[in-house]
Amino acid sequence: MSTVVAQTLHVFGLRPHVANNVFFFDEQIVIFPSGNYCVKYNMDQKWQKFIPGSDKSQAMLALSISPNRRYLAMSELVQEKPVITIYELSSIPCRKRKILNNFDFPVQKFTSIAFSPDSKYLLTQTSPPESNLVYWLWEKQKVMAMIRTDSQNNAVYQVSFSPQDNTQVCVTGNGMFKILRFAEGTLKQTNFQRGEPQNYLAHSWLSDDKIVVGTDTGRLLLFESGDQRWETSIMVKESTSETKNLDIIQESESLIQFPPLSSPVPSYEQVRATSSHSQLTMPQVFAIAAYSKGFACSAGPGRVLLYEKMEDKDIYHESREIRIPVDPQGNDPSQSDKQDILCLCFSPSEESLMASTSKNQLFSITMSLTEISKGEPAHFEYLMYPLHSASITGLATCIRKPLIATCSPDRSVRIWNYESNTLELYREYQEEAYTISLHPSGHFIVVGFADKLRLMNLLIDDIRAFKEYSVRGCRECAFSNGGHLFAAVNGNVIHIFTTTSLENVSNLKGHTGKIRSVAWHADDSKLISCGTDGAVYEWSLSTGRRETECVLKTCSYNCVTVSPDAKVIFAVGSDHTLKEIADSSILREISSFDVIYTAIAISHSGRMMFVGTSVGTIRAMKYPLPFQKEFNDYQAHAGPITKMLLTFDDQYLLTVAEDGCLFTWKVYDKEGRGIKREREVGFAEEVLVTKTDMEEKAQVMIELKTRVEELKMENEYQLRLKDMNYTEKIKDLTDKFLQEMETLKTKNQVLKTEKEKQDISHRERMDELLEKQTREVQDLECCNNQKLLLEYEKYQELQLKSQRMQEEYEKQLRDNDETKSQALEELTEFYEAKLQEKTTLLEEAQEDVRQQLREFEETKKQIEEDEDREIQDIKIKYEKSLRDEKESNLRLKGETGIMRKKFSSLQKEIEERANDIELLKGEQVKLQGIIKSLEKDILSLKREIQERDETIQDKERRIYDLKKKNQELEKFKFVLDYKIKELMKQIEPRENEIKVMKEQIQEMETELERFHKQNTQLELNITELWQKLKATELEMRRERQKERDLEALVKRFKMDLHNCMAYIQEPRQLKEKIRGLFEKYVQRADMVEIAGLNTDLQQEYARQREHLERNLATLKKKVVKESELHRTDYVRIMQENVSLIKEINELRRELKYTRSQVYDLEAALKLTKKLQPQEVSEAVPTESKVGTAPTMRLNEQEETRRIIEMQRLEIQRLRDQIQEQEQVPGFHPISKIRLPSLSKAEVDLEVQTKRPSSLQ
């Protein structure tokens, strides 16, 4: 065997075409098929464990888990033979418990399997044309019963057991719904189908005799004991936007309740084949799963409906809807959720719902989320990540990052991380992706699509193309080891591109067939290619020519690789061999033993080699290759392996296949040590990010920060409001508490009087009860003693009678036995005597035996028959008498049994009477205990009342002291209230003035905004005029160019005419030259029209030019007038703003002074906390309601500086706008009014702000 060992680490993918392909092992672990394995996946810890399928398995058809979660049944095809394997899930690792592969009946494959409730029996359904339903005792591999379910070759989708009855089973299929019962070694149908047969796709048992069934026309039917009891139909209506809405059409009453049960899944291909003729608008119910509140069912593409039982009625209604989420990374997000749900299952505690779809995706949802999202449909989440839904054709890895790149005809490109086992990036496109290669740095990929070859960036959250090449249908591409070049195959040509200038540097032509694989040398100096033409070429990139070649036309090569030292080429193809090629010749051919090799990979260390086969197996070999059959086979995939790679450090093997699964393998040597290759530098953590993305994220962060600050302010404000509300509530509660105390006092006194009355009545009743009880006990004892004596006497009499009867029966039996033995002895003696006589006669007749042989034989036969008949009659007679004796004996035994039963019933009555006496005694003890406990309660209540009285007296004293203090404080309060009222009278007019000023400022701001709008409109008009002016200038340039062209033409004509004048003495030549000039310069047809056209064009041009000039002049005048108006308005607004700011500052100073006075008065009263928020809210409505607002404000100088700075910036902005308008050519303002200088306004402001401070 080989020293190289590969161990499965992780898989990304779901195996298609498996019935019942997902179920729960426990709350956290899910089991699903992937490749040739069943995977146990922990949803919390994200680990995977593998249950291997059978060796040489060709197809996995169906799965089933036992109700006790101990066994897993798997239906497979192994070497064209059906096999059912039962695994024991509780053992670690999972081991095979039984293999069912020897069948006494014809079978092609098992399409559906199910365990019985006690997990002892197994139900299997075979495929047409046999369509046998087989009932197994699987532990003993014994067939208990078998029946043919269908004789018309219709598909059977699902079989199942009743959840609590091993003998009752259900079968559904196309036109088939049967309930069968197992009895006396046969399966018999117990229901009869009524109405038209339908295509029943899925069913689920709800109780012992209730089943819900789904059809391909969206109907849900409930059957109880085979009769239909309830029905719901689901219809999908197509709207204009091609979206589908579910409407419940009809619903009949039902008397059922739905217990939880998992539901197997029908074969998706069979259903599609049978329902291709049906209406597209009908949703097909592929899966049903019941739970405690009702049941869940698939309702068309991407939808699951939950039905629940109504509380007051026995009918079921649609409670919630769950959808597959729209994929934003998909090519068409609106269609990404349009995938049929083939299997549904609930977790054991019904916390989670799992679903698998027709696109090989796994989804899950927590049921509590569906309850939260009432009114809106809930959405599934991916169980792991979005998986490939078709065969994987491209695989690549890099050096600097632990990344895997894959592509598929499902039009997607995915980037995986084999260290964290996660999906890093994912994108779908409009065209199919055939091949992919990853740059050694891990930042770029090149992908071959059906229409183009694209070079793309791997960004932090996206895959973006930055260069496209017109290479159609590229089936193979590869980056060089250095990353500076990449090769792309187009049919039988290899294009070499550079990644620096992104140009095509070379084209390698020589193959006559399609190229299937390319491989680079370690130093990137050479490239190796192989193809369907049976050629393996080694290309030199410096010359672009072939250096070595090896052609074998009988072989179509699939893959090629090169040894690390670049001396040996390894190629695999259709001729079942692995070839070693060196110097254009085949050194060795190693047989593949009846399989086709489809992929090959050699380690960078040169110590191991892996090959992939067409049956999905992986072979691990050591290198150099052995001469014997030394390799390890691993059954990995469920289809031919398309690509395989080793990571740069030789730690992991990566394989992909046509089953759409990606496997990662850990590579070891035979002793279990990892094949390590030292890395000088760890994996890179850098990622590519575009500048726009960074800016957007920074902007989002800023917005979020501001939002957080706003939320903080809002929360603080809400907290303050809550504090105020709580103080008010506390005050109300204290008042209520005092009132309740008073009421409790009165109640307590009433209760005391009632208690005394009840004590007296209770004592009287107790005395009466005790007397009554003693009398009843004495009476019962007397009665019971008399009854016991009578019963005992009866018992003794019956016992004596039974003994006598038993002795008589025994005596009769002995007599019968003696008579029987005597009769048998007499018969034996009689027949022995007869036998002796016959023997003597035979001895006498031996002499003449030849003459009388026939007569003797006849007589012998007659004698034997008579003897047999006589023996038989005697035997029947005595057997009859024996039977009569036995029957009489049994009758007597029955009578004795009846007597015994009567005796036992009497004993039970005696025991019951004794128990009643004990119960009465116990009740007496309980009543005494209750009396004692009530006495204790009375004592405790007395003590509590006494304590309450003492506390009430203390509180009354405190209330009296507090009332005195309150009177004194009310005196102080009266004085302070008077002062506060006087101050408030002074504050109110000031506040009114501030309000008026604010209204004026607001009006000015609105006016300023209006001016800004007018300015922007004028700017737009100016830009339009500029554009018109530019257009006229362009027209002018064109006309000038035409003029220059005409002048040049006239000049040339003059030159030619001057040349003609040289022949003025020779008329013939002069005539020819003149004719030539005419043909050269004059267009005969347009001669007359040219002059007229030119004049019309000039007139139109002049007219339009005059019109535009007039418009331009009027617009200039308007702009000048409006600019003058704006300047005057700006100056007026600025002056008003300055005066208003000055008044606001004065009011603020006065307000601050009044606040300080109010605060001092409140401090004297010690009521600051209560009055301060109210005064602040009344005095400063625009500021935040904080008690310490005056201290939070900026000082006056800083406020004035800030206001001046703002005004200065506004003036500067307005000046810049005016300068820009003045720079416009043709714009000359009439007015020369300028704004006042900034320094003067600033000085005025400072003087005005200092005056009030000096007054203070």
Side-chain angles (χ1 to χ4, degrees):
M1 294 297 288
S2 172
T3 59
V4 181
V5 179
Q7 181 184 351
T8 315
L9 272 187
H10 205 85
V11 62
F12 301 98
L14 177 68
R15 181 166 182 167
H17 319 317
V18 181
N20 195 19
N21 60 354
V22 62
F23 37 78
F24 280 92
F25 176 63
D26 56 26
E27 278 302 315
Q28 302 302 329
I29 297 173
V30 182
I31 297 177
F32 58 87
S34 186
N36 198 47
Y37 293 95
C38 276
V39 182
K40 289 172 73 175
Y41 174 68
N42 190 301
M43 295 189 290
D44 283 348
Q45 300 173 10
K46 308 298 182 186
W47 53 255
Q48 289 184 351
K49 291 181 181 177
F50 297 89
I51 304 168
S54 304
D55 292 335
K56 299 180 181 177
S57 173
Q58 294 170 309
M60 191 186 295
L61 301 170
L63 296 173
S64 180
I65 192 168
S66 63
N68 59 9
R69 314 279 173 186
R70 286 186 61 192
Y71 305 111
L72 171 68
M74 186 187 296
S75 169
E76 295 176 284
L77 276 179
V78 179
Q79 294 180 342
E80 303 295 334
K81 293 180 181 179
V83 174
I84 293 175
T85 311
I86 290 129
Y87 294 87
E88 192 169 349
L89 296 174
S90 56
S91 63
I92 299 173
C94 299
R95 64 183 182 88
K96 292 181 181 179
R97 181 71 177 267
K98 285 288 176 188
I99 299 172
L100 309 178
N101 54 6
N102 294 321
F103 308 111
D104 299 331
F105 48 88
V107 57
Q108 293 182 1
K109 57 186 178 181
F110 293 100
T111 57
S112 182
I113 50 180
F115 276 100
S116 64
D118 58 1
S119 306
K120 290 181 181 178
Y121 299 96
L122 189 71
L123 199 64
T124 60
Q125 175 66 46
T126 66
S127 61
E130 295 87 11
S131 297
N132 289 325
L133 180 68
V134 189
Y135 191 95
W136 296 82
L137 180 62
W138 63 267
E139 282 279 5
K140 296 181 180 179
Q141 299 186 13
K142 183 181 177 183
V143 176
M144 304 295 288
M146 186 171 68
I147 188 171
R148 187 168 184 181
T149 52
D150 185 68
S151 59
Q152 298 177 355
N153 292 339
N154 287 327
V156 179
Y157 301 132
Q158 186 183 346
V159 297
S160 66
F161 276 96
S162 171
Q164 295 173 359
D165 188 359
N166 289 342
T167 62
Q168 199 167 6
V169 298
C170 180
V171 182
T172 52
N174 188 4
M176 185 192 318
F177 171 67
K178 293 183 180 181
I179 300 171
L180 308 166
R181 185 172 288 280
F182 173 71
E184 299 177 356
T186 58
L187 286 164
K188 295 179 181 177
Q189 187 172 350
T190 60
N191 73 317
F192 298 97
Q193 289 186 354
R194 296 183 179 89
E196 293 182 5
Q198 300 184 53
N199 192 1
Y200 300 102
L201 302 183
H203 72 264
S204 179
W205 286 85
L206 307 168
S207 65
D208 291 340
D209 56 353
K210 298 184 182 74
I211 308 170
V212 65
V213 186
T215 70
D216 64 343
T217 57
R219 295 179 69 193
L220 288 171
L221 312 169
L222 182 93
F223 294 92
E224 183 176 359
S225 302
D227 298 327
Q228 185 177 330
R229 296 297 173 88
W230 181 78
E231 181 180 348
T232 297
S233 294
I234 306 163
M235 178 71 75
V236 176
K237 293 183 179 179
E238 289 191 2
S239 62
T240 54
S241 60
E242 296 183 24
T243 58
K244 298 182 179 181
N245 300 317
L246 290 173
D247 293 326
I248 294 169
I249 293 183
Q250 61 182 13
E251 187 174 307
S252 57
E253 291 188 357
S254 171
L255 301 170
I256 53 171
Q257 189 175 2
F258 294 88
L261 189 72
S262 63
S263 171
V265 179
S267 170
Y268 183 66
E269 286 73 19
Q270 290 175 345
V271 175
R272 282 297 181 204
T274 56
S275 63
S276 59
H277 63 277
S278 63
Q279 294 180 357
L280 293 173
T281 56
M282 294 293 184
Q284 297 181 337
V285 182
F286 286 108
I288 302 174
Y291 68 115
S292 58
K293 294 181 181 178
F295 64 92
C297 68
S298 63
R303 303 184 74 176
V304 172
L305 294 180
L306 297 180
Y307 283 88
E308 289 184 4
K309 186 179 178 183
M310 295 177 73
E311 292 178 1
D312 53 345
K313 297 179 183 177
D314 289 330
I315 59 173
Y316 290 77
H317 66 102
E318 179 192 333
S319 61
R320 280 181 292 281
E321 179 185 353
I322 309 171
R323 284 177 172 271
I324 289 174
V326 174
D327 190 356
Q329 300 296 328
N331 171 33
D332 188 359
S334 63
Q335 296 297 318
S336 62
D337 60 338
K338 300 296 184 288
Q339 42 188 313
D340 288 311
I341 293 165
L342 302 184
C343 185
L344 291 170
C345 70
F346 285 96
S347 62
S349 66
E350 298 180 357
E351 282 292 318
S352 303
L353 175 64
M354 196 70 59
S356 66
T357 70
S358 57
K359 289 188 179 179
N360 304 339
Q361 305 296 328
L362 288 171
F363 294 96
S364 67
I365 189 169
T366 307
M367 292 302 290
S368 56
L369 293 177
T370 62
E371 294 174 3
I372 292 165
S373 60
K374 285 190 176 178
E376 293 183 1
H379 287 89
F380 281 106
E381 294 178 350
Y382 283 104
L383 176 64
M384 295 183 290
Y385 307 100
L387 305 171
H388 280 292
S389 59
S391 65
I392 301 173
T393 55
L395 174 69
T397 185
C398 62
I399 299 169
R400 294 287 292 119
K401 291 186 178 185
L403 298 181
I404 308 166
T406 58
C407 67
S408 169
D410 63 4
R411 301 178 179 178
S412 69
V413 173
R414 288 170 166 82
I415 308 297
W416 313 87
N417 189 315
Y418 61 80
E419 271 200 340
S420 60
N421 294 323
T422 55
L423 179 65
E424 296 272 332
L425 291 170
Y426 155 59
R427 191 70 187 269
E428 278 192 9
Y429 297 90
Q430 292 183 350
E431 302 86 20
E432 293 182 353
Y434 298 132
T435 180
I436 193 168
S437 184
L438 192 56
H439 193 271
S441 66
H443 292 310
F444 316 104
I445 56 169
V446 60
V447 186
F449 289 96
D451 60 341
K452 287 182 181 178
L453 179 74
R454 291 184 174 89
L455 193 61
M456 302 182 177
N457 280 327
L458 296 182
L459 303 179
I460 189 170
D461 55 359
D462 197 9
I463 305 172
R464 291 185 192 169
F466 65 91
K467 179 66 177 175
E468 292 183 349
Y469 300 97
S470 57
V471 179
R472 294 177 65 83
C474 176
R475 297 277 177 174
E476 193 68 29
C477 65
F479 272 105
S480 63
N481 295 309
H484 60 293
L485 299 171
F486 67 89
V489 173
N490 183 11
N492 56 3
V493 180
I494 304 170
H495 301 282
I496 308 296
F497 298 91
T498 174
T499 56
T500 52
S501 62
L502 309 177
E503 292 177 354
N504 184 2
V505 295
S506 179
N507 294 322
L508 309 179
K509 299 178 181 178
H511 281 278
T512 56
K514 287 185 178 180
I515 298 167
R516 298 293 296 275
S517 179
V518 294
W520 291 85
H521 274 224
D523 58 356
D524 296 335
S525 62
K526 296 176 184 177
L527 184 74
I528 296 141
S529 63
C530 70
T532 56
D533 55 356
V536 176
Y537 294 146
E538 187 176 12
W539 306 84
S540 172
L541 294 180
S542 58
T543 60
R545 295 181 180 178
R546 291 194 295 254
E547 287 205 348
T548 62
E549 59 184 54
C550 178
V551 181
L552 186 66
K553 292 190 176 180
T554 57
C555 175
S556 174
Y557 287 107
N558 294 322
C559 191
V560 69
T561 189
V562 63
S563 61
D565 57 3
K567 291 180 180 177
V568 183
I569 299 166
F570 301 94
V572 293
S574 61
D575 60 350
H576 303 274
T577 58
L578 165 62
K579 296 179 178 63
E580 284 188 57
I581 302 168
D583 299 328
S584 300
S585 62
I586 298 170
L587 298 179
R588 287 173 64 192
E589 288 191 4
I590 298 157
S591 175
S592 64
F593 303 99
D594 299 327
V595 295
I596 296 172
Y597 288 147
T598 57
I600 185 167
I602 190 167
S603 66
H604 299 86
S605 62
R607 285 161 50 189
M608 54 187 174
M609 183 180 287
F610 297 91
V611 288
T613 68
S614 59
V615 294
T617 57
I618 291 167
R619 287 185 178 173
M621 310 175 185
K622 65 182 179 182
Y623 184 77
L625 296 172
F627 288 93
Q628 293 85 12
K629 187 179 177 181
E630 291 185 12
F631 52 78
N632 291 332
D633 252 348
Y634 301 99
Q635 185 72 37
H637 291 274
I641 291 171
T642 53
K643 297 285 180 184
M644 62 192 310
L645 287 174
L646 277 157
T647 57
F648 183 70
D649 54 3
D650 290 343
Q651 290 285 308
Y652 302 99
L653 174 69
L654 314 171
T655 61
V656 295
E658 289 182 7
D659 60 358
C661 296
L662 164 65
F663 275 84
T664 60
W665 306 74
K666 183 74 174 174
V667 180
Y668 298 95
D669 62 8
K670 200 168 185 179
E671 288 74 26
R673 299 190 303 273
I675 300 171
K676 294 184 179 177
R677 189 178 181 200
E678 293 182 1
R679 292 184 62 88
E680 295 179 0
V681 184
F683 285 125
E685 295 182 356
E686 297 84 7
V687 292
L688 293 180
V689 185
T690 60
K691 190 178 178 181
T692 54
D693 289 346
M694 285 291 288
E695 287 172 355
E696 284 175 5
K697 285 184 178 178
Q699 187 63 34
V700 169
M701 281 174 69
I702 291 163
E703 289 174 1
L704 288 170
K705 281 179 183 176
T706 54
R707 180 65 182 151
V708 166
E709 292 296 327
E710 288 173 3
L711 287 169
K712 278 183 184 177
M713 296 285 286
E714 286 178 11
N715 288 333
E716 286 173 3
Y717 177 66
Q718 292 294 331
L719 283 169
R720 283 197 296 275
L721 287 175
K722 283 179 182 177
D723 287 338
M724 292 168 68
N725 292 329
Y726 287 143
T727 51
E728 290 175 1
K729 284 179 182 177
I730 288 162
K731 191 177 178 183
D732 295 337
L733 286 168
T734 50
D735 295 337
K736 285 179 184 177
F737 176 69
L738 292 170
Q739 290 174 2
E740 285 174 2
M741 277 178 67
E742 293 296 328
T743 53
L744 283 168
K745 279 180 186 177
T746 54
K747 280 182 182 178
N748 199 2
Q749 289 175 357
V750 173
L751 286 168
K752 275 182 184 178
T753 54
E754 286 180 0
K755 181 178 166 297
E756 289 170 358
K757 290 176 183 176
Q758 284 178 1
D759 285 342
I760 294 159
S761 62
H762 180 66
R763 286 195 197 95
E764 290 173 355
R765 284 185 68 190
M766 281 299 292
D767 294 334
E768 289 173 3
L769 285 168
L770 286 168
E771 288 174 4
K772 192 177 179 182
Q773 188 188 7
T774 50
R775 284 198 300 274
E776 286 177 355
V777 166
Q778 286 173 2
D779 295 339
L780 282 167
E781 282 177 356
C782 294
C783 293
N784 286 328
N785 288 329
Q786 289 174 4
K787 284 180 181 177
L788 278 168
L789 289 168
L790 291 167
E791 294 296 333
Y792 185 67
E793 287 171 0
K794 284 180 184 177
Y795 170 66
Q796 284 180 342
E797 288 173 5
L798 288 166
Q799 199 169 10
L800 290 166
K801 196 174 179 181
S802 66
Q803 283 177 359
R804 282 198 298 273
M805 286 173 77
Q806 197 168 358
E807 287 171 0
E808 287 173 4
Y809 294 147
E810 285 174 357
K811 190 178 179 182
Q812 285 179 5
L813 284 168
R814 281 197 297 272
D815 294 340
N816 288 330
D817 290 336
E818 285 173 2
T819 54
K820 186 182 175 184
S821 59
Q822 284 175 4
L824 283 168
E825 284 173 2
E826 288 172 0
L827 282 167
T828 51
E829 285 174 1
F830 173 70
Y831 284 115
E832 279 175 0
K834 268 193 174 184
L835 202 68
Q836 285 176 0
E837 289 175 6
K838 296 295 179 186
T839 51
T840 54
L841 286 169
L842 282 168
E843 286 172 0
E844 289 173 359
Q846 275 178 358
E847 292 176 357
D848 48 334
V849 74
R850 290 175 183 174
Q851 297 174 2
Q852 298 177 358
L853 185 62
R854 290 177 184 174
E855 293 176 6
F856 175 70
E857 285 177 356
E858 286 176 4
T859 54
K860 187 183 176 184
K861 281 181 183 177
Q862 287 174 3
I863 288 161
E864 284 176 355
E865 284 173 2
D866 293 336
E867 285 172 355
D868 289 338
R869 200 178 294 113
E870 285 176 6
I871 290 162
Q872 193 71 26
D873 293 339
I874 292 160
K875 191 179 177 183
I876 289 162
K877 182 182 175 184
Y878 282 104
E879 280 178 354
K880 190 177 181 183
S881 62
L882 187 66
R883 203 180 295 120
D884 294 337
E885 291 295 332
K886 281 181 180 177
E887 284 174 359
S888 62
N889 196 3
L890 286 167
R891 191 165 56 254
L892 290 167
K893 281 181 181 177
E895 288 175 1
T896 55
I898 290 160
M899 298 303 290
R900 280 176 187 163
K901 282 179 184 175
K902 284 181 180 178
F903 175 67
S904 62
S905 64
L906 288 168
Q907 274 186 335
K908 282 179 185 175
E909 284 181 7
I910 291 158
E911 286 173 1
E912 284 172 1
R913 295 297 179 190
N915 289 331
D916 291 338
I917 290 159
E918 286 175 3
L919 287 168
L920 288 166
K921 285 179 181 177
E923 285 178 2
Q924 186 180 354
V925 172
K926 282 180 186 176
L927 287 165
Q928 286 174 355
I930 290 163
I931 290 157
K932 286 177 183 176
S933 63
L934 287 167
E935 286 174 354
K936 286 178 184 176
D937 291 340
I938 289 158
L939 289 169
S940 62
L941 284 165
K942 282 179 180 177
R943 282 198 294 272
E944 196 174 348
I945 288 159
Q946 196 171 356
E947 289 170 1
R948 290 268 178 95
D949 288 337
E950 289 173 1
T951 52
I952 286 161
Q953 287 172 4
D954 293 337
K955 284 185 177 179
E956 282 176 348
R957 286 195 211 99
R958 284 187 66 192
I959 288 161
Y960 180 73
D961 296 335
L962 288 167
K963 279 180 179 177
K964 278 186 177 178
K965 285 182 182 178
N966 199 9
Q967 285 174 0
E968 291 173 2
L969 288 168
E970 278 179 353
K971 289 176 185 176
F972 281 114
K973 188 185 173 186
F974 180 77
V975 175
L976 290 168
D977 282 339
Y978 182 75
K979 289 182 179 179
I980 287 160
K981 283 176 183 175
E982 287 181 351
L983 290 167
M984 289 294 284
K985 285 175 184 177
Q986 294 175 5
I987 287 163
E988 281 177 3
R990 300 285 184 179
E991 282 181 350
N992 292 330
E993 288 176 6
I994 288 163
K995 280 182 185 176
V996 171
M997 295 293 182
K998 280 183 179 175
E999 286 172 0
Q1000 286 180 358
I1001 289 162
Q1002 203 165 1
E1003 287 173 1
M1004 288 175 181
E1005 283 176 354
T1006 52
E1007 198 171 354
L1008 195 63
E1009 283 177 3
R1010 187 167 54 76
F1011 288 145
H1012 279 307
K1013 285 177 184 175
Q1014 288 178 356
N1015 274 338
T1016 51
Q1017 188 62 40
L1018 287 168
E1019 283 172 4
L1020 286 169
N1021 291 337
I1022 289 161
T1023 50
E1024 285 177 5
L1025 288 169
W1026 266 107
Q1027 286 172 359
K1028 287 177 182 177
L1029 195 64
K1030 282 177 184 175
T1032 52
E1033 283 178 357
L1034 282 169
E1035 194 69 30
M1036 242 171 75
R1037 285 197 200 102
R1038 286 197 205 99
E1039 293 298 326
R1040 282 174 183 168
Q1041 187 63 38
K1042 282 181 185 177
E1043 191 180 351
R1044 283 195 290 272
D1045 293 339
L1046 287 168
E1047 283 175 0
L1049 187 70
V1050 169
K1051 201 177 282 184
R1052 284 202 302 276
F1053 181 77
K1054 282 180 179 177
M1055 289 290 291
D1056 291 341
L1057 191 64
H1058 186 266
N1059 293 333
C1060 286
M1061 294 305 293
Y1063 299 100
I1064 199 162
Q1065 299 297 329
E1066 299 173 4
R1068 190 176 295 169
Q1069 287 184 359
L1070 182 65
K1071 186 179 179 182
E1072 287 174 1
K1073 292 288 181 182
I1074 295 289
R1075 189 179 289 142
L1077 282 174
F1078 182 81
E1079 287 172 359
K1080 186 177 179 180
Y1081 291 105
V1082 180
Q1083 294 176 359
R1084 293 165 187 168
D1086 300 328
M1087 277 180 64
V1088 182
E1089 294 176 5
I1090 287 166
L1093 268 171
N1094 287 334
T1095 53
D1096 292 338
L1097 282 169
Q1098 284 174 0
Q1099 286 174 4
E1100 182 65 24
Y1101 174 75
R1103 188 175 59 76
Q1104 287 183 0
R1105 185 172 177 181
E1106 284 173 3
H1107 175 68
L1108 288 169
E1109 282 173 354
R1110 281 197 299 275
N1111 285 342
L1112 189 64
T1114 53
L1115 286 168
K1116 280 179 182 178
K1117 288 176 185 177
K1118 282 182 183 177
V1119 168
V1120 169
K1121 285 178 183 177
E1122 286 177 358
S1123 63
E1124 287 173 2
L1125 289 169
H1126 288 172
R1127 282 176 186 170
T1128 54
D1129 289 333
Y1130 287 156
V1131 171
R1132 180 175 56 76
I1133 289 160
M1134 285 293 296
Q1135 288 172 357
E1136 287 175 356
N1137 277 340
V1138 169
S1139 62
L1140 287 168
I1141 288 161
K1142 181 180 73 175
E1143 287 177 7
I1144 287 161
N1145 286 329
E1146 287 175 359
L1147 289 168
R1148 279 177 179 164
R1149 281 193 291 275
E1150 289 175 5
L1151 189 62
K1152 186 178 177 183
Y1153 178 71
T1154 53
R1155 274 184 192 154
S1156 62
Q1157 286 181 346
V1158 171
Y1159 185 85
D1160 292 336
L1161 292 167
E1162 286 170 353
L1165 266 173
K1166 294 182 181 179
L1167 296 168
T1168 310
K1169 288 182 181 177
K1170 291 182 180 178
L1171 294 172
Q1172 195 170 355
Q1174 295 174 3
E1175 290 179 354
V1176 172
S1177 62
E1178 288 173 1
V1180 190
T1182 57
E1183 294 176 6
S1184 63
K1185 299 183 179 182
V1186 184
T1188 57
T1191 57
M1192 295 282 285
R1193 282 194 51 205
L1194 299 167
N1195 57 23
E1196 293 165 9
Q1197 290 182 356
E1198 284 178 355
E1199 274 191 353
T1200 51
R1201 280 200 204 101
R1202 193 173 66 187
I1203 292 160
I1204 290 162
E1205 190 66 27
M1206 286 168 66
Q1207 296 294 336
R1208 188 187 288 133
L1209 289 169
E1210 183 66 21
I1211 291 161
Q1212 189 63 40
R1213 189 179 66 78
L1214 292 167
R1215 281 179 176 163
D1216 292 337
Q1217 282 186 0
I1218 291 161
Q1219 284 177 2
E1220 285 173 4
Q1221 288 180 357
E1222 285 176 354
Q1223 286 173 5
V1224 175
F1227 178 82
H1228 300 290
I1230 299 164
S1231 174
K1232 299 293 180 181
I1233 298 167
R1234 294 185 63 82
L1235 289 168
S1237 64
L1238 190 65
S1239 58
K1240 188 178 178 183
E1242 193 174 342
V1243 169
D1244 291 339
L1245 260 172
E1246 286 176 357
V1247 170
Q1248 286 168 0
T1249 51
K1250 282 177 184 176
R1251 278 179 188 170
S1253 60
S1254 62
L1255 287 168
Q1256 287 178 0

